[in-house]
Amino acid sequence: MHKHLTLRHIPALTGLRVWAFGLVLLDHWVPIFHHVLMAGNGGVSLFLVLSGFLISRLLIESKMTNTSFNDYLSHFYRRRAQRIFPLYFLTILILLLAGNDVVRQKWVYFFTFTANYYLINNPNSLLDHFWSLSAEEQLYIFIPLLIWLCPLNRLPVLALLLISCSCVFRGAAYYWKSEPSWWPFSYESVLGCFDCYGIGLLVAYLQLIKPQWASQFFSSALVLRTLFILWLTVLLLGIYWEVRGFGAYCNPVTAVSVRLAVALFGGYLIGYCHQSLGRWGGYLLLNPVFQYLGSISYGLYIVHNLIYNAQMSVTYPTRYAWREIEQLLFSSNSTTTIPHPALELTFYFLLTVCLASISWYALEKPLLNRYTRKRKPSLILSS
């Protein structure tokens, strides 16, 4: 084993999950964050980079222990299946039993994790967030094999190839696909996600194989701010061109960079989280509320869009329930009730947290604990 190899749990990454989820939540619940600020792109891209880092770190460690190829794959896929499948398939089954027409008619896509290719041409506000889980499961086919076949000292080259492949794909999709399908095609296809995983792989390589160099490189607040400004600049250019009537991403450069910019920022932020964060870093990432929400972030992601999104009909069960609560709390003798949007979103958020907490304590955590008893703690923390 390489003398520099060390795996440890990084609490700041748990807090980072909350920020990623928060961007996705705002995108789905508050229209301006979707139509103008592209918050969902930022949140999902952060999730993908973080996932790329964590699984790459686990796979590199497993490869360096001189394990067999079968053990290498079986450990990885068994771990991913136990983490993702139970809640995902339970949710799909509930939607099926509840009579959701899309799941009932297109169940093959959802049960085979290919829903992203259905949703590209058939967007559905209730189910759209499942595209990222499908793309991630498809990435799990390629990434373990590529890391196993690639010599350790060539992993940075592999990471750069993944990044380049994804950028070329999104740029080509800009010319190949017409509006409005080019954006979901370039964004939700598995090839469009390769750069996030490539950046995550590069950060994992540096942290494991070049820890001293990584410690120096990822300690610059100036670089972190610069990458954040780059991401913000891409967003502002999109807003400017949208206002001018050209379309938010009216050229292939912005079409490519809208995900790449946030992925670069997210990758550096992950490396930065390994350093001393200071007072503000502790407030933003290590506070107890974020640590808890980060631990249930998978359930939050699965559930939130089923609880509420900005396109839902007022007859949807959760919206109907809120109207009844609102009328009970705020109406007097009047037949009309003044809307309380902030309280309404708070109600949906608390309901989301409650359901995700139930999932965590009743389903996810017991499975993780059972797996922990069979594996070394270092392997569990890294995944």
Side-chain angles (χ1 to χ4, degrees):
M1 185 181 292
H2 198 284
K3 65 179 180 179
H4 291 309
L5 180 62
T6 174
L7 290 182
R8 58 191 177 94
H9 177 56
I10 310 297
L13 298 183
T14 302
L16 183 57
R17 286 190 180 99
V18 181
W19 287 101
F21 168 70
L23 289 172
V24 174
L25 186 78
L26 289 171
D27 186 273
H28 289 154
W29 287 14
V30 184
I32 190 173
F33 284 93
H34 173 75
H35 297 298
V36 178
L37 299 177
M38 300 289 290
N41 167 70
V44 170
S45 297
L46 283 175
F47 268 129
L48 290 175
V49 176
L50 184 57
S51 178
F53 166 76
L54 292 172
I55 72 162
S56 296
R57 191 172 71 152
L58 178 64
L59 291 167
I60 293 171
E61 191 278 341
S62 182
K63 179 178 179 177
M64 293 175 69
T65 58
N66 297 318
T67 186
S68 68
F69 180 64
N70 287 339
D71 287 343
Y72 168 85
L73 287 184
S74 64
H75 165 54
F76 175 76
Y77 286 124
R78 185 167 60 248
R79 174 70 178 131
R80 291 294 86 198
Q82 281 195 314
R83 184 70 187 97
I84 293 174
F85 286 4
L87 178 57
Y88 174 82
F89 284 119
L90 176 62
T91 304
I92 297 300
L93 182 60
I94 291 173
L95 289 170
L96 190 64
L97 295 175
N100 183 275
D101 289 337
V102 174
V103 176
R104 182 168 52 83
Q105 296 172 13
K106 305 296 180 181
W107 62 269
V108 173
Y109 288 100
F110 291 92
F111 278 95
T112 59
F113 288 101
T114 54
N116 54 329
Y117 296 108
Y118 171 76
L119 293 169
I120 284 172
N121 297 311
N122 304 275
N124 183 287
S125 62
L126 187 72
L127 307 171
D128 273 346
H129 63 304
F130 287 123
W131 79 261
S132 62
L133 293 173
S134 295
E136 194 165 4
E137 288 299 307
Q138 293 159 34
L139 282 162
Y140 290 163
I141 299 173
F142 300 103
I143 300 300
L145 294 175
L146 291 174
I147 290 178
W148 177 266
L149 294 173
C150 184
L152 283 176
N153 63 347
R154 295 294 181 183
L155 285 177
V157 177
L158 172 60
L160 293 175
L161 286 174
L162 290 172
I163 296 168
S164 300
C165 178
S166 193
C167 291
V168 169
F169 171 76
R170 290 202 298 273
Y174 179 84
Y175 292 105
W176 180 22
K177 303 290 285 187
S178 60
E179 288 282 4
S181 64
W182 80 266
W183 169 250
F185 178 76
S186 66
Y187 179 68
E188 297 178 12
S189 298
V190 66
L191 284 173
C193 304
F194 271 10
D195 53 346
C196 293
Y197 268 67
I199 290 170
L201 168 59
L202 189 58
V203 177
Y205 171 84
L206 294 175
Q207 291 292 343
L208 285 176
I209 310 301
K210 305 287 185 181
Q212 294 180 344
W213 193 92
S215 180
Q216 295 176 356
F217 177 71
F218 290 114
S219 61
S220 173
L222 177 61
V223 175
L224 185 66
R225 294 190 190 102
T226 301
L227 291 173
F228 178 75
I229 291 171
L230 174 64
W231 174 23
L232 188 62
T233 300
V234 173
L235 292 178
L236 291 176
L237 284 173
I239 294 171
Y240 172 76
W241 284 319
E242 183 72 37
V243 171
R244 293 294 301 272
F246 298 113
Y249 304 102
C250 59
N251 62 70
V253 175
T254 50
V256 169
S257 61
V258 64
R259 167 167 279 163
L260 181 61
V262 65
L264 289 171
F265 169 71
Y268 195 87
L269 184 57
I270 289 169
Y272 194 79
C273 284
H274 287 70
Q275 317 304 319
S276 177
L277 295 175
R279 184 176 62 178
W280 280 105
Y283 289 154
L284 295 174
L285 295 172
L286 301 177
N287 66 82
V289 174
F290 273 36
Q291 288 297 298
Y292 176 71
L293 293 177
S295 69
I296 63 170
S297 58
Y298 177 53
L300 293 173
Y301 186 83
I302 290 284
V303 169
H304 81 280
N305 212 36
L306 305 176
I307 296 296
Y308 172 76
N309 65 65
Q311 301 179 47
M312 272 182 177
S313 166
V314 294
T315 60
Y316 191 78
T318 53
R319 297 204 67 186
Y320 176 81
W322 168 251
R323 290 204 321 276
E324 292 296 312
I325 294 172
E326 189 178 41
Q327 187 173 17
L328 180 65
L329 294 177
F330 300 107
S331 66
S332 55
N333 296 326
S334 174
T335 57
T336 61
T337 303
I338 300 174
H340 299 80
L343 288 177
E344 182 178 6
L345 293 181
T346 301
F347 167 73
Y348 298 140
F349 179 74
L350 292 176
L351 185 57
T352 300
V353 171
C354 287
L355 290 178
S357 298
I358 293 171
S359 168
W360 171 249
Y361 286 109
L363 183 64
E364 300 168 66
K365 190 175 181 179
L367 288 174
L368 288 174
N369 288 340
R370 188 176 71 175
Y371 189 81
T372 302
R373 290 193 293 268
K374 298 179 181 179
R375 303 294 301 186
K376 296 189 299 182
S378 61
L379 297 181
I380 299 300
L381 294 174
S382 67
S383 57

